[in-house]
Amino acid sequence: MATEAINFTQECIERLPIPPHGWVYYADSKTPGLRIGVGASGSRTFYLCKKIQGRAERIRIGPYPDLSVSVARTKAWQLKGAIGSGANPAEVRRALVGMPTLANLLELYIEKHAKPKGRKSWPEMEAQFHRYLSAIGKKKVSQISKEDIERLVTKLALTSGKTTANRVIELVRAIFNWARRKGVIDLANPAIGVDRYPTTPRDRYLHRSEMPSFLEAVEKEDQVNRDFFLLLLLTGVRRGNLMSARWADLNLDDGLWRISAEQSKNGRAQYVRLPPPAVEILRSRKSAGNEQDVFVFLEFPRFSGHYARPA
């Protein structure tokens, strides 16, 4: 049974006493029906308590702090609306359990949209997601709020740069927009209204006088990154083309690399002349690899089957 109603805040919830056994429930003074249960293990869980067809029901919303107070309040109102429309508790529970995670949405977005549309950037999407969104990737999309995205991109802007933060905003926005259009979810897009950071277009290039320092820095990298950066320098190709380079497209005897139309930025096949130092690096990689390897770089197969991003 719930005690007197209190105003749910982070500080208030974290100060609630832990019972010696069982559970104790507290009511929110701002959202009728919203409760938080505190268990003897110290866990805290949000619930909606409401009479449905004459019976008192307690519907689990989700754990704190995975769900913030604001998200729990929003979910409580959504559930009350669904119940008011005639949904029964079992249907409400199934809706909560069946809600996809953000990682699920990304997978659907890539398989059902990016790949069929021929978007060549999907390996980069996977790389960005695993590198920057893994902290919230396992969350149900109904648990992700605008505040969650704002906190994440604020941290990214400080640690990884404003451009990276902006790309993460765009990726989340695109995933949710697609899922809403396709009827996968019926939720507000948490990236809408999250401000992008102002950035200045790059006009910085490597000067000839800086080449010795650059090469010295590359030599300090591990073998994979060293090969990757040197091949970029020697061939002048786009990073994405080298990430997806296949041995079948390389003719090391003739020093020629065919980039297919599907991988080319302009949609046309192109041929790249490989200088002798590049051929030497590629021969070394091939001799050190497995004969069954498809890609020149295989370091992050969990992302895309080939090299996803230099570390």
Side-chain angles (χ1 to χ4, degrees), residues 61-297:
I61 296 177
Y64 173 88
D66 291 353
L67 267 67
S68 65
V69 172
S70 62
V71 171
R73 284 172 172 158
T74 299
K75 288 301 302 175
W77 283 111
Q78 290 173 343
L79 287 171
K80 290 166 73 173
I83 293 168
S85 299
N88 63 44
E91 291 172 340
V92 172
R93 290 190 185 98
R94 281 197 294 272
L96 285 173
V97 172
M99 188 68 66
T101 64
L102 186 58
N104 294 150
L105 276 197
L106 172 75
E107 183 178 355
L108 285 172
Y109 179 76
I110 289 175
E111 294 301 325
K112 302 294 185 181
H113 177 72
K115 287 183 178 180
K117 292 289 186 180
R119 301 288 172 82
K120 304 180 184 67
S121 59
W122 67 262
E124 187 73 6
M125 293 177 193
E126 287 187 328
Q128 286 180 2
F129 188 93
H130 287 278
R131 185 173 291 244
Y132 304 119
L133 287 162
S134 59
I136 61 174
K138 294 181 180 180
K139 277 190 171 186
K140 301 284 189 182
V141 290
S142 58
Q143 300 172 348
I144 299 173
S145 65
K146 177 183 174 183
E147 291 75 17
D148 292 328
I149 305 301
E150 286 177 332
R151 281 194 296 270
L152 176 64
V153 298
T154 297
K155 181 178 179 181
L156 285 177
L158 294 172
T159 58
S160 302
K162 295 178 180 178
T163 298
T164 295
N166 288 343
R167 287 174 178 170
V168 167
I169 295 171
E170 292 166 0
L171 178 59
V172 173
R173 183 180 295 147
I175 292 171
F176 270 84
N177 281 344
W178 174 82
R180 283 171 54 83
R181 287 198 308 272
K182 295 300 181 180
V184 178
I185 58 173
D186 185 18
L187 300 169
N189 189 330
I192 297 296
V194 178
D195 293 333
R196 289 170 47 89
Y197 289 89
T199 56
T200 303
R202 296 179 183 177
D203 59 358
R204 180 73 167 84
Y205 299 93
L206 190 66
H207 296 159
R208 181 173 298 181
S209 62
E210 297 171 313
M211 190 64 70
S213 298
F214 171 77
L215 294 175
E216 182 181 350
V218 170
E219 283 301 316
K220 295 178 182 178
E221 294 288 327
D222 59 43
Q223 188 66 50
V224 174
N225 282 347
R226 187 159 60 246
D227 289 351
F228 188 85
F229 288 122
L230 287 176
L231 284 172
L232 282 179
L233 181 67
L234 291 166
T235 62
V237 299
R238 296 170 61 240
R239 180 180 59 178
N241 290 137
L242 187 54
M243 288 178 183
S244 56
R246 300 170 183 262
W247 289 116
D249 296 330
L250 294 166
N251 186 332
L252 300 184
D253 292 331
D254 293 338
L256 205 61
W257 173 16
R258 181 183 184 275
I259 298 177
S260 67
E262 291 75 18
Q263 294 175 312
S264 177
K265 186 175 182 179
N266 61 13
R268 298 179 181 178
Q270 65 181 98
Y271 290 86
V272 176
R273 178 63 63 182
L274 299 171
V279 173
E280 183 180 345
I281 292 172
L282 290 165
R283 287 191 187 280
S284 177
R285 289 196 63 78
K286 192 167 189 179
S287 64
N290 188 307
E291 291 184 0
Q292 303 302 316
D293 288 347
V294 174
F295 296 104
V296 175
F297 291 92

Side-chain angles (χ1 to χ4, degrees), residues 299-311:
E299 268 39 46
F300 296 96
R302 68 183 182 278
F303 290 164
S304 57
H306 53 76
Y307 195 67
R309 178 189 285 269

